[in-house]
Amino acid sequence: MLRCKQLYSTKNKKKLIELQEKLNLIHLERESHEAISNTKADISATIIDIGRNKKIRICNQGKSVAKNVRISFPEGNDCVLEGEIYEKFPLEQLDKFAKVDICVAQHLGTKPKFTISLKWDDDYGVDRERQVYLTL
């Protein structure tokens, strides 16, 4: 009887040790994922309405500062004044949770949908890119 209890106790200890090792691995993976996440900027763009006017809002929702933020229009630009792009871009730095607005100049020939390509550098890497599809 005593021997059975010892065997049962030994099996339980082995299971507990295995379970603890698995939990430790999961914890290490989570911590490394969080450390990587802390080095990334997350640049995105949306259309906002201000009265009758529309603007493209480019913001950094990441946990790191974005540097050398650039914007381009792969399918052509017929809604943003070139002067405003040259004035504001490339941005030397876009802090986390910071934003920059660009005025949209709508006219009868403006396409309702267009694509913006955003490029930036951060602590995670250089020339990171995101394409955003916007609708006016």
Side-chain angles (χ1 to χ4, degrees), residues 95-114:
D95 293 326
K96 58 183 180 178
F97 307 116
K99 60 188 180 261
V100 63
D101 293 339
I102 303 170
C103 293
V104 173
Q106 274 185 291
H107 52 82
L108 290 176
T110 303
K111 296 179 203 171
K113 294 184 179 187
F114 58 97

Side-chain angles (χ1 to χ4, degrees), residues 80-105:
V80 178
L81 300 174
E82 293 293 327
E84 187 153 7
I85 293 173
Y86 292 129
E87 261 180 38
K88 296 181 179 180
F89 291 92
L91 284 173
E92 289 78 21
Q93 180 172 315
L94 189 61
D95 293 326
K96 58 183 180 178
F97 307 116
K99 60 188 180 261
V100 63
D101 293 339
I102 303 170
C103 293
V104 173

Side-chain angles (χ1 to χ4, degrees), residues 21-59:
E21 288 173 353
K22 287 180 183 178
L23 287 173
N24 286 342
L25 284 175
I26 290 170
H27 184 67
L28 285 172
E29 286 177 13
R30 186 178 298 151
E31 292 222 357
S32 70
H33 178 69
E34 187 175 324
I36 290 170
S37 171
N38 286 338
T39 64
K40 289 184 178 180
D42 183 16
I43 305 297
S44 64
T46 57
I47 298 286
I48 59 168
D49 290 320
I50 300 177
R52 286 193 213 175
N53 300 324
K54 293 188 182 219
K55 293 186 177 197
I56 299 171
R57 176 165 284 170
I58 297 169
C59 56

